[in-house]
Amino acid sequence: MRIGHVDLDREVLLIAEIGNNHEGDVALAERLVGLAAEAGAQAVKFQTIAPERLVSAEDEARVRQLQRFALSRRDHERLARAAENAGVIFMSTPFFLEAVDWLESLVPAFKIASGDNDFDPLLARVAATGKPVVLSTGMATLEDIRHARSVLGSVWTERGVRPGLGLLQCVSAYPAAPEAANLAAMHALRPLCDAVGYSDHTLGNEVAVLAVAAGAQIIEKHFTIDKQFSSFRDHRLSADPVELKQLAQRIREASRTLGRPEKYVDASEAQLSIAARRSIVARRDLAAGHVIGLDDLDWLRPAGGLAPCRTAEVLGKKLARDVRGGERLEPNILL
């Protein structure tokens, strides 16, 4: 599965979730894009909201807050250009149907928030774009996730496309306790998708790095310019620029350590393999014409002669000439 230029089978995608941490200041949002790129994130993500389409008018305080935080369509276009100039992928989570239309030409993939993983009309609208989808699974059972996948899949099937589905293990608590992270859930998610990952709401970087070791191909981490920027909840559970840079470095280190899902002989082992492996040798002096038995053999380092795994090929053979004790038994002296 690919998101933009990132092949998730080859590298872990680190998404800096700026979300609403810009608090409606598009200049700050633009600055956060640059800082995320400098820190080593490959993608930045925002939230595309229309307060009156998200929260009941009865919750006046929340509506007022979201009105301050909401970015316009033109703001999104500006941020998409900033991301392109910074060399990072631009993403946003649509929270109303028309937002999908706003974003379709700006994003290479859509992100669905945990709160909307059961919002079928939104899932269908996103699927109709034919773009990959990354879906957070907070508050969802496997049955819920299968349902969301079926909504996306049915639209994709109708259109003859299969852009790819990424599922993120997520615990919708702010902040989430490390012991609640349940990273092993990614193993249950893997058969249901094309890539698994983890959306982190814990404090610090440890759980996100462990998620990479547990198989995450996508890491989403909230990002802020300053944890104490305001009383808005998300700042405190977000990584600041220093922490995001550290996280990016540790993810790369973890990825290099994990390697790839195949067994191979590393170049660093090549010389040692000669010294550590053995060759088949004569245990004692043997005369020409002698028929070799197991008691005539020993297996000594270094490698270079017949390997011990070829012992059966040597047994019962006659010697073409005299052999000294400790001498390697080569094919040209066996009859």
Side-chain angles (χ1 to χ4, degrees):
M1 178 176 170
R2 297 184 70 91
I3 294 180
H5 62 273
V6 177
D7 182 348
L8 299 179
D9 291 326
R10 300 181 64 86
E11 61 179 307
V12 177
L13 173 65
L14 174 58
I15 302 172
E17 161 67 303
I18 297 169
N20 290 317
N21 281 342
H22 51 77
E23 299 195 24
D25 183 343
V26 68
L28 175 58
E30 196 169 37
R31 186 179 174 196
L32 284 164
V33 170
L35 289 171
E38 290 174 12
Q42 302 108 307
V44 293
K45 193 187 78 64
F46 292 87
Q47 296 179 9
T48 305
I49 58 175
E52 70 281 1
R53 304 288 301 283
L54 179 61
V55 178
S56 170
E58 295 178 358
D59 190 350
E60 295 180 4
R62 182 62 172 152
V63 171
R64 283 196 301 271
Q65 181 189 52
L66 291 177
Q67 286 171 338
R68 290 193 299 106
F69 290 1
L71 298 174
S72 69
R73 186 169 188 171
R74 183 170 293 181
D75 290 337
H76 283 75
E77 293 167 354
R78 174 177 169 178
L79 294 173
R81 288 193 298 271
E84 182 178 9
N85 292 336
V88 291
I89 297 164
F90 177 75
M91 297 177 67
S92 191
T93 297
F95 280 89
F96 58 103
L97 299 185
E98 293 79 7
V100 178
D101 305 327
W102 286 20
L103 296 170
E104 184 172 2
S105 64
L106 303 179
V107 300
F110 280 92
K111 169 70 196 303
I112 301 295
S114 290
D116 285 337
N117 56 35
D118 64 347
F119 187 178
D120 288 9
L122 180 65
L123 295 174
R125 187 78 160 249
V126 165
T129 68
K131 293 179 180 288
V133 173
V134 178
L135 182 133
S136 280
T137 62
M139 303 176 289
T141 65
L142 282 178
E143 183 179 353
D144 296 330
I145 296 163
R146 290 190 184 98
H147 174 78
R149 184 183 68 159
S150 72
V151 174
L152 296 166
S154 63
V155 176
W156 286 338
T157 298
E158 289 174 5
R159 286 162 171 72
V161 297
R162 188 70 175 94
L165 172 62
L167 294 177
L168 305 187
Q169 163 60 2
C170 179
V171 177
S172 297
Y174 302 87
E179 58 269 24
N182 193 22
L183 298 178
M186 288 188 290
H187 297 295
L189 298 178
R190 189 172 293 280
L192 304 177
C193 61
D194 302 291
V196 296
Y198 175 61
S199 181
D200 189 26
H201 295 157
T202 66
L203 302 178
N205 288 335
E206 294 305 319
V207 177
V209 176
L210 285 172
V212 175
Q217 297 160 277
I218 303 169
I219 295 293
E220 181 182 67
K221 184 71 175 178
H222 283 255
F223 179 53
T224 183
I225 194 165
D226 184 345
K227 291 175 180 291
Q228 305 301 321
F229 185 78
S230 77
S231 61
F232 178 48
R233 174 196 64 190
D234 286 9
H235 292 296
R236 289 185 291 282
L237 61 86
S238 300
D240 61 23
V242 171
E243 287 178 322
L244 190 69
K245 183 175 183 179
Q246 293 171 342
L247 177 59
Q249 291 172 340
R250 293 189 66 189
I251 285 174
R252 306 296 173 255
E253 291 167 359
S255 296
R256 286 194 295 270
T257 302
L258 288 169
R260 56 184 188 266
E262 58 184 271
K263 185 69 177 97
Y264 57 91
V265 178
D266 188 76
S268 64
E269 298 179 282
Q271 189 60 39
L272 180 60
S273 70
I274 295 173
R277 298 234 183 244
R278 304 172 188 240
S279 299
I280 302 173
V281 303
R283 182 176 295 182
R284 53 183 171 273
D285 293 346
L286 299 173
H290 179 79
V291 177
I292 298 173
L294 191 62
D295 291 344
D296 298 321
L297 303 179
D298 215 340
W299 302 265
L300 302 179
R301 295 175 175 177
L306 292 174
C309 59
R310 299 183 64 180
T311 297
E313 300 174 28
V314 174
L315 297 177
K317 297 290 182 68
K318 289 184 180 181
L319 290 173
R321 61 170 174 79
D322 293 347
V323 173
R324 301 183 310 277
E327 184 179 348
R328 291 175 178 173
L329 298 183
E330 304 288 358
N332 61 357
I333 63 173
L334 301 175
L335 301 176

